[in-house]
Amino acid sequence: MEQRNNKNTPGEIVLSGVTKYYGIGESKKAVIEDCSLTIEAGKLSVMIGPSGCGKSSLIRLIAGFEKPSSGTITIDGKPIRGPGKDRLVVFQESALFPWMTTEENISFGPIARSEVNTESQNLAKFLIDKVGLSQFKKKFPNQLSGGMQRRCELARALINSPEVMILDEPFRGLDEMTKELMWEYYANLYEETRQTNFFVTTDIDEAVFLADRLIIMTNTPTKVAQIIEVDIPRPRKLSTLFESDQANEIKSRILKILHVEAMKSFKGGSKAAADFIEAASKRAVSNTV
Amino acid sequence: MTNSPQTRGQISIKDVVKIYDPEGAAVMAVDHCSLEIAAGEICMIVGPSGCGKTTLLNAIAGFHSINGGSIEMDGQLLCGPGKPQATPGSDRIVVFQNGALFPWKNVIDNLMFGPLMSGKLPFNEIKEKALYMMADAGLSGTENSFPGELSSGVKRRVEIVRALMNDPSVLLLDEPYRALDSLSKSVMHEALLDIYAKNKVTIFFITHDLQEALFLGTKLAIMTTRPCKPKKILTVDIPYPRSYSVVTEKRFRDLMEETSHLVHEEAKKSFAAGEKEG
Amino acid sequence: MFRPIQKFLFNRSSSRGLIAIIIFLLFWEVCSRSGVWFGIPVPWIGKVPAPTAVVHAWIPMLSDSGYWTSWLLSIKRVYIGFIFAMVIGIPFGLLLAINRTAYGLIFPTFEVFRPIPPLAWVPVAIIFWPTNEMSIAFVTFLGAFYTIVINVLGGAQAIDQRFFQAARSMGSSQGDVFKRIVFPAVVPSIAVGASVGMGITWNVVIAAEMISGGGSDGGGKGGGLGFFIWDSYLNNSYDLIVVGMISIGIAGYLSSGLIRIIGDHFTKWTRR
Amino acid sequence: MNKIMLKLNLNLREESLIRKLLSPRFFLMITGFVIFLCFWHLSVEVWQLPRFAQLPTLRAVVTEFISTNPIYGVSIFTHELYQHILASCLRVFAAFILATLLGVPLGLFLGWSTKFREYVFPVFEMLRPIPILAWVPLAIVMFTGIETPVIFLAFLGSFFVTALNTMLGVQQIDESYFRAARCLGANSFQVFKHVVIPGAMPFIFTGLQISVGVCWFSLVAAEMVSGQYGLGYIINTSYTNVRYPTIIIGMITLGFIGYITSAMVRSVGKSLMKWRMRELALSEG
């Protein structure tokens, strides 16, 4: 996994004036409205916003599973038409194939594209050791712990050496301890490859710890509220999160913006915007079959 | 609606031992654990997942028996020598990790279930109390919806109100906010402290999120990996009411630093042991 | 091998089961002999042959070749119908799951015929198929076919959307998606469909054998277990009816046991 | 519809839009029916293919079905058809109600108390593998008359299915609901009433739907073998008396009535479980 310098790293994604509607007729609701942002190549950009504000819909647009209602999304200048191995998504709930062992899951990509050769087999072996799952090669996903499933999914994406790694709150649901260990683990993985990464979360500590560039989103319909450059030195260690004043200063800035947004969506009681978006986006996913 | 000031809900756990015996392979879950919780206190139990915290909670609630030591509440023996398993009762109510609102009852019926079962109050008095507590917790308007239609944040609040409807001495919370995303968690924490200020009930709160423990708790018990016993007990001397900005204050960060390496040691041990979640 | 039996015999729950079965057999014996259970007259059971009489009638059967040929005949008919139902049903179900046009075209007609119980097809089958044997096989096939298709269809439609998204973004073609996502995900539903289907085929074979008089090449006791019990009824040898019933029960139990074993083998990944 | 795109329907939004224009669901359904009827008419009457030739033609069946004085006396305008329908429906109704009244409580207790299950379930499991229709001769012997054996057979099939599904329903209820109810001070009877029954309800109704199907399944066979009236009987006697169109009429009526009865059970289930309906609606949208 050689280290790429920033200048010619691929994977710059530009969104301009992107809008996305769900539902039809009077239940039509804009989830993303006129959102423009750039995910810089070679950087770990983290997007944070209240739950259900439309972040996952943005990911589905970038990954190419859905088309924006208006506006354009390009990767290195080329418009995005459909899913491709240049933009791989690690979902919130594990999308490991339950009927495949860890080994089969990880080498799914090369086999699917019939690019299996000694080089890809070595890479697979290297990655399985790297994610610490060598003794779990023959195990099925439901025999792995949450943390192990996440690492397996990371390896499955990395073997295809995508231009951009997209992660949708991958560590949500893990217990706090495993989650913090995964932060450090994922940060080191990025520091080795300096590959473009687009990480979405609702956890402020996670965002501050991981991010080179922090994109704070508003409540639904979501758009960019603020962008903060985080220049905490790398490689980053968990202890830096508590000691470094800069980390804490950024954290309180985010808190001010996001707490207000979270309260707005929360105060709406059971029919809060968050629930509607959550249900609507679930429906949107289900009816593309 | 304030019940008597902190006289109820004092718990003393003395030297409790719990051994599971699945298919004969005896596994010790709790190893001589002793812990004193004063009445009206918020005691946070922090430890890696699968270390036996929930077993302790189940023993207090009376779902499981214990093999040694004793647990008392307000001086009466809950379980101990001669009575290995406590009898569940509405003085100690559990709020479960993935929720246990009855999906077939709407919100108001869920809230009224406890008092109706005990049959002490007439129906309309219970209903009035339920409506009052719902308004108090910002839940009015959800009376007739079913749990399946509510967001997880709202469901959590309904479940806590359902517990408080029975004026329990102790609220036993088992990682109630684990499924929530961090931002909604912060809002839920403030809502819980708000309800706590009004009801002054003792809270026994299990979590593996250190920041949540320090933000909510008056007392913090850091547990070892399985078999669990308190590794360190410290009091959190941040005054109430606490708002979320306290997280960035100096005192809070010192406490975080002081406790986080303890907690991480335990986490590394269970992580290395390939401990599966929960 | 000894350890599980020993565990079975002495643990509390299974010993209770054993006691209950013994009491049941005693109840059956006493009531059919005397029609009275501790002085209370028991209706209907009186006409049922007692267990001892049944065993008594069963022993000579064990050496009677006709008895065993009816076993073989019924098993043959069940498995022919069943295998045809699997071989045609699974691809048919998958086609409906994958191709929306085929689903729109064929599924409504398929659904219209589904409420018609398979045995209602016996007369039409006898008219259509040349030999009696083929008409029984057709009706058996029909019994299992509907169950398998519905289960395969349900299994395929329940596959989570994100598996397709993940596979497509890693560059797998549609054929690859079918081979490595749709089919493996549907295998557990096929196993469920097969075990339910097997139960239905036994029912259908027994009834078809009774209704169509035991089939052309059987005749006499060799007409399959269905005919065996019907023939015993016609000759008023009621003990043999119960012998036949228990034999069918055992045969049915063994077949669904076999299907379950095969099914478990292919769905290892669903278990913890 | 010259070139129906037989592509994998797993493709994405843009292809599905084009497909929607080509074949709205209703239009396809009609084409499906038309193709089937044409095939029936052509193969039997026009081409007279081997084997198909003996089957009743589409025209014969339709004319018989809707004629005021049918050749063989059975059509929608004659009294006889409704007599058979009534006989079959009464038997299914009696068997289904009996199976529900006995099966559901048994299933609830089997699921609820381990002691009861340890005694009763082994006997239950010993009898269950015997295919229902293997009971036909014994039923005729055990019960006098025509009606009771037929009802007993229909009852037997649905009884086992109902009891088993109810038991599974109770067993799948999450342990924390029982604990929550205990915590809130409910005694065993209250837990049974407020947790066990509503919690098992979805499974009970799945069981009842299957049980209606099994009822019809065993009824037809019993009627064919020993019935006097009823749709199974009419189908069988029409065959023996070589009145082929009436066989098809019997089958169509059977399918239709069977569909209506299971639809009735489904709607009763839906009305009893509003909470589940809303939950499913939200998730499917």
Side-chain angles (χ1 to χ4, degrees):
Chain A
M1 300 296 285
E2 78 303 340
Q3 182 142 14
R4 304 182 190 161
N5 47 48
N6 274 0
K7 273 189 306 315
N8 50 28
T9 338
E12 195 205 39
I13 294 181
V14 176
L15 286 85
S16 41
V18 169
T19 308
K20 179 69 184 175
Y21 290 100
Y22 282 116
I24 30 124
E26 79 297 339
S27 76
K28 185 167 186 162
K29 212 161 189 335
V31 169
I32 305 166
E33 205 167 22
D34 180 24
C35 167
S36 308
L37 70 97
T38 314
I39 299 165
E40 284 172 14
K43 282 253 177 70
L44 207 173
S45 323
V46 175
M47 171 183 277
I48 186 162
S51 79
C53 75
K55 299 190 296 299
S56 299
S57 326
L58 204 64
I59 285 179
R60 280 199 296 279
L61 295 177
I62 296 172
F65 301 137
E66 280 170 33
K67 277 229 166 316
S69 313
S70 67
T72 61
I73 307 176
T74 62
I75 174 166
D76 298 335
K78 305 188 293 316
I80 289 176
R81 247 184 291 285
K85 81 172 183 68
D86 52 354
R87 286 149 291 121
L88 284 183
V89 180
V90 175
F91 293 96
Q92 191 176 321
E93 313 99 23
S94 149
L96 291 178
F97 304 121
W99 48 83
M100 291 183 190
T101 61
T102 310
E103 225 174 5
E104 287 159 351
N105 257 297
I106 289 180
S107 38
F108 179 90
I111 296 174
R113 296 189 304 279
S114 42
E115 290 162 1
V116 183
N117 48 41
T118 46
E119 199 244 337
S120 77
Q121 270 147 0
N122 301 349
L123 187 54
K125 203 190 159 318
F126 168 77
L127 279 172
I128 289 185
D129 300 339
K130 183 120 186 58
V131 292
L133 292 174
S134 340
Q135 328 94 320
F136 299 93
K137 272 200 186 84
K138 293 283 179 258
K139 288 269 193 272
F140 289 109
N142 64 9
Q143 295 168 308
L144 304 178
S145 76
M148 293 183 217
Q149 284 185 22
R150 297 285 78 174
R151 282 180 272 144
C152 177
E153 206 159 348
L154 282 174
R156 180 175 79 172
L158 286 171
I159 196 168
N160 309 292
S161 40
E163 266 88 56
V164 183
M165 279 279 283
I166 306 171
L167 301 103
D168 184 0
E169 294 184 76
F171 307 139
R172 181 168 169 188
L174 296 182
D175 71 79
E176 221 51 40
M177 318 258 162
T178 325
K179 193 186 267 194
E180 278 161 15
L181 293 170
M182 289 301 281
W183 292 347
E184 210 169 68
Y185 179 83
Y186 172 69
N188 302 346
L189 213 60
Y190 163 72
E191 279 138 16
E192 267 174 32
T193 61
R194 294 289 168 163
Q195 199 184 15
T196 317
N197 269 272
F198 179 55
F199 192 98
V200 169
T201 182
T202 54
D203 186 329
I204 298 173
D205 288 331
E206 189 170 66
V208 172
F209 180 77
L210 294 174
D212 289 332
R213 211 161 151 267
L214 239 168
I215 306 161
I216 305 173
M217 306 297 283
T218 64
N219 219 310
T220 177
T222 193
K223 54 174 74 63
V224 178
Q226 203 178 60
I227 294 185
I228 303 173
E229 297 296 335
V230 179
D231 40 27
I232 300 172
R234 283 189 185 275
R236 296 199 177 154
K237 285 280 161 283
L238 272 175
S239 48
T240 55
L241 189 62
F242 310 125
E243 285 139 15
S244 113
D245 295 336
Q246 199 210 356
N248 247 287
E249 186 267 331
I250 294 171
K251 209 165 139 182
S252 47
R253 264 168 72 191
I254 302 173
L255 260 178
K256 272 201 220 52
I257 305 167
L258 279 187
H259 205 61
V260 163
E261 296 288 331
M263 289 305 278
K264 234 191 285 170
S265 77
F266 197 82
K267 271 287 167 279
S270 75
K271 286 289 156 287
D275 305 319
F276 173 81
I277 299 302
E278 207 179 309
S281 55
K282 234 186 276 164
R283 274 199 297 281
V285 168
S286 67
N287 57 32
T288 48
V289 174
Chain B
M1 264 311 291
T2 57
N3 54 20
S4 54
Q6 297 107 318
T7 51
R8 293 189 304 147
Q10 185 272 337
I11 299 177
S12 51
I13 302 169
K14 297 195 194 84
D15 219 354
V16 167
V17 172
K18 171 69 185 173
I19 299 166
Y20 281 111
D21 188 8
E23 291 109 24
V27 169
M28 180 182 267
V30 178
D31 163 20
H32 296 289
C33 162
S34 299
L35 185 62
E36 289 304 320
I37 305 170
E41 199 172 34
I42 301 184
C43 177
M44 309 299 294
I45 311 289
V46 183
S49 52
C51 79
K53 317 192 284 287
T54 311
T55 317
L56 211 54
L57 179 133
N58 287 339
I60 299 172
F63 302 144
H64 281 168
S65 60
I66 56 173
N67 304 76
S70 70
I71 301 177
E72 282 162 14
M73 187 169 84
D74 298 336
Q76 284 121 12
L77 183 76
L78 285 180
C79 54
K83 185 171 187 275
Q85 185 157 350
T87 43
S90 63
D91 53 352
R92 290 151 287 127
I93 294 189
V94 177
V95 174
F96 296 86
Q97 184 173 22
N98 15 44
L101 285 179
F102 302 124
W104 45 82
K105 286 179 186 294
N106 63 24
V107 169
I108 194 85
D109 292 342
N110 260 292
L111 295 184
M112 290 163 57
F113 182 78
L116 274 177
M117 288 305 124
S118 60
K120 292 200 199 75
L121 296 169
F123 181 87
N124 38 39
E125 212 175 297
I126 300 173
K127 181 149 189 156
E128 212 183 286
K129 183 179 175 187
L131 289 172
Y132 171 78
M133 288 191 90
M134 279 180 76
D136 203 25
L139 288 169
S140 25
T142 62
E143 289 85 355
N144 309 330
S145 7
F146 286 97
E149 300 166 276
L150 304 175
S151 74
S152 32
V154 173
K155 263 193 277 198
R156 261 305 93 92
R157 280 193 282 163
V158 170
E159 196 160 356
I160 289 172
V161 172
R162 178 175 77 170
L164 294 172
M165 277 288 287
N166 310 276
D167 303 327
S169 321
V170 181
L171 254 186
L172 301 162
L173 301 169
D174 185 359
E175 293 181 60
Y177 305 135
R178 172 154 178 195
L180 293 181
D181 62 272
S182 321
L183 264 171
S184 330
K185 237 188 218 184
S186 59
V187 177
M188 292 300 286
H189 289 161
E190 285 186 357
L192 180 67
L193 289 183
D194 184 33
I195 295 175
Y196 168 72
K198 294 189 185 113
N199 293 282
K200 273 290 173 271
V201 70
T202 311
I203 295 184
F204 181 94
F205 192 114
I206 292 180
T207 180
H208 48 253
D209 177 348
L210 190 56
Q211 181 166 325
E212 177 175 63
L214 282 169
F215 178 74
L216 291 172
T218 50
K219 174 184 279 178
L220 189 67
I222 299 174
M223 311 300 260
T224 61
T225 42
R226 193 205 304 266
C228 86
K229 66 193 278 198
K231 180 172 178 176
K232 182 169 174 45
I233 299 174
L234 78 153
T235 44
V236 183
D237 50 12
I238 300 173
Y240 286 96
R242 298 175 181 168
S243 87
Y244 217 73
S245 53
V246 86
V247 168
T248 49
E249 274 159 23
K250 179 100 184 58
R251 179 69 189 120
F252 190 91
R253 279 166 53 199
D254 297 345
L255 278 170
M256 274 294 270
E257 233 173 298
E258 190 190 335
T259 49
S260 71
H261 68 274
L262 287 172
V263 171
H264 278 290
E265 266 161 37
E266 297 308 320
K268 285 238 168 53
K269 268 189 234 151
S270 74
F271 195 75
E275 201 79 45
K276 268 186 78 193
E277 241 68 62
Chain C
M1 181 47 202
F2 180 68
R3 173 117 174 58
I5 301 167
Q6 185 242 356
K7 195 159 84 65
F8 172 78
L9 281 181
F10 297 112
N11 87 27
R12 205 165 33 79
S13 67
S14 50
S15 59
R16 279 194 180 140
L18 228 54
I19 299 162
I21 289 173
I22 292 163
I23 293 170
F24 171 76
L25 292 176
L26 262 176
F27 170 80
W28 178 6
E29 178 72 28
V30 167
C31 291
S32 63
R33 288 268 185 240
S34 67
V36 164
W37 178 249
F38 293 112
I40 319 146
V42 173
W44 307 317
I45 310 283
K47 299 205 181 66
V48 177
T52 41
V54 169
V55 170
H56 188 64
W58 205 340
I59 295 160
M61 277 296 124
L62 298 180
S63 52
D64 175 333
S65 68
Y67 171 68
W68 291 113
T69 27
S70 24
W71 263 76
L72 291 176
L73 246 173
S74 290
I75 289 175
K76 190 187 77 173
R77 285 175 182 143
V78 163
Y79 275 93
I80 289 176
F82 180 75
I83 288 161
F84 265 102
M86 293 285 275
V87 163
I88 299 170
I90 296 173
F92 184 75
L94 286 171
L95 170 72
L96 290 186
I98 289 173
N99 188 311
R100 196 181 274 269
T101 330
Y103 178 85
L105 200 64
I106 302 166
F107 191 68
T109 324
F110 172 88
E111 269 299 284
V112 160
F113 288 103
R114 189 151 68 98
I116 303 173
L119 288 152
W121 288 91
V122 165
V124 167
I126 295 171
I127 302 165
F128 181 78
W129 295 99
T131 70
N132 214 325
E133 208 52 44
M134 289 169 80
S135 26
I136 294 179
F138 172 74
V139 178
T140 326
F141 154 81
L142 216 56
F145 175 73
Y146 273 101
T147 319
I148 288 160
V149 170
I150 292 297
N151 272 285
V152 165
L153 202 53
Q157 281 163 350
I159 301 171
D160 196 305
Q161 173 69 11
R162 24 184 236 285
F163 295 136
F164 297 130
Q165 287 173 345
R168 293 300 296 275
S169 48
M170 282 189 270
S172 54
S173 66
Q174 275 147 15
D176 191 55
V177 163
F178 173 75
K179 187 157 60 77
R180 300 214 293 160
I181 310 289
V182 177
F183 187 70
V186 162
V187 162
S189 331
I190 294 176
V192 167
S195 63
V196 172
M198 178 52 84
I200 296 176
T201 38
W202 269 103
N203 262 300
V204 169
V205 163
I206 302 303
E209 282 169 353
M210 274 196 276
I211 296 168
S212 69
S216 51
D217 52 10
K221 288 217 173 36
L225 289 171
F227 179 76
F228 175 82
I229 50 174
W230 188 248
D231 188 50
S232 320
Y233 163 67
L234 296 179
N235 310 339
N236 290 334
S237 40
Y238 297 160
D239 306 351
L240 285 178
I241 295 179
V242 181
V243 165
M245 283 170 70
I246 297 170
S247 321
I248 299 167
I250 294 166
Y253 187 73
L254 293 178
S255 333
S256 35
L258 181 68
I259 299 293
R260 220 174 302 113
I261 291 163
I262 298 171
D264 288 350
H265 173 68
F266 286 105
T267 54
K268 279 203 284 295
W269 54 274
T270 50
R271 283 184 298 286
R272 263 279 177 266
Chain D
M1 263 226 306
N2 44 25
K3 193 174 74 52
I4 301 166
M5 281 196 304
L6 289 173
K7 270 176 66 180
L8 274 176
N9 79 338
L10 309 175
N11 40 38
L12 296 162
R13 270 219 174 251
E14 51 299 342
E15 279 98 309
S16 76
L17 212 61
I18 300 159
R19 244 184 311 95
K20 272 216 174 44
L21 294 169
L22 252 176
S23 55
R25 182 61 60 78
F26 185 74
F27 170 71
L28 256 181
M29 190 171 75
I30 299 297
T31 345
F33 287 137
V34 164
I35 291 173
F36 169 74
L37 294 177
C38 295
F39 173 75
W40 180 359
H41 177 62
L42 294 175
S43 62
V44 176
E45 201 166 338
V46 177
W47 298 330
Q48 303 211 327
L49 304 171
R51 308 301 334 145
F52 282 96
Q54 288 89 345
L55 290 175
T57 64
L58 176 64
R59 228 157 15 87
V61 170
V62 170
T63 38
E64 178 77 6
F65 204 8
I66 50 173
S67 78
T68 43
N69 58 18
I71 317 154
Y72 307 114
V74 172
S75 81
I76 37 176
F77 298 105
T78 59
H79 168 62
E80 201 188 329
L81 181 61
Y82 296 100
Q83 213 181 4
H84 293 299
I85 293 175
L86 191 63
S88 288
C89 285
L90 284 178
R91 291 175 184 148
V92 165
F93 184 74
F96 178 74
I97 296 296
L98 209 59
T100 313
L101 292 180
L102 291 176
V104 171
L106 177 70
L108 288 172
F109 284 114
L110 278 173
W112 173 233
S113 114
T114 345
K115 199 156 170 294
F116 181 80
R117 180 170 60 250
E118 277 168 6
Y119 278 113
V120 171
F121 196 59
V123 177
F124 181 88
E125 273 302 284
M126 200 177 68
L127 296 173
R128 198 164 62 88
I130 301 172
I132 306 308
L133 299 176
W135 286 86
V136 168
L138 193 64
I140 300 168
V141 164
M142 278 164 72
F143 300 97
T144 54
I146 298 296
E147 284 304 308
T148 18
V150 173
I151 294 175
F152 171 72
L153 286 161
F155 155 78
L156 210 57
S158 46
F159 169 72
F160 280 113
V161 167
T162 313
L164 196 65
N165 273 283
T166 311
M167 184 180 92
L168 293 177
V170 175
Q171 285 171 340
Q172 58 80 34
I173 298 174
D174 192 316
E175 174 61 20
S176 43
Y177 293 130
F178 290 108
R179 288 183 170 170
R182 273 276 146 65
C183 252
L184 295 165
N187 59 40
S188 304
F189 172 71
Q190 288 164 328
V191 169
F192 188 78
K193 184 168 160 233
H194 291 283
V195 177
V196 171
I197 296 178
M201 200 56 91
F203 270 71
I204 293 177
F205 266 91
T206 337
L208 290 185
Q209 264 185 279
I210 303 168
S211 133
V212 162
V214 170
C215 245
W216 281 105
F217 175 90
S218 358
L219 183 88
V220 167
E223 281 177 349
M224 281 177 139
V225 172
S226 74
Q228 200 124 59
Y229 291 100
L231 293 170
Y233 170 78
I234 183 82
I235 290 175
N236 205 23
T237 42
S238 321
Y239 166 64
T240 39
N241 311 343
V242 198
R243 303 180 186 149
Y244 290 170
T246 331
I247 298 174
I248 311 292
I249 291 170
M251 287 169 72
I252 295 169
T253 334
L254 199 55
F256 185 66
I257 306 281
Y259 177 76
I260 289 179
T261 38
S262 62
M264 280 189 327
V265 171
R266 242 196 320 276
S267 61
V268 168
K270 277 207 173 69
S271 63
L272 276 178
M273 291 191 286
K274 285 193 294 304
W275 60 274
R276 203 160 158 66
M277 292 310 132
R278 289 203 210 158
E279 208 173 278
L280 292 177
L282 191 69
S283 64
E284 275 143 22

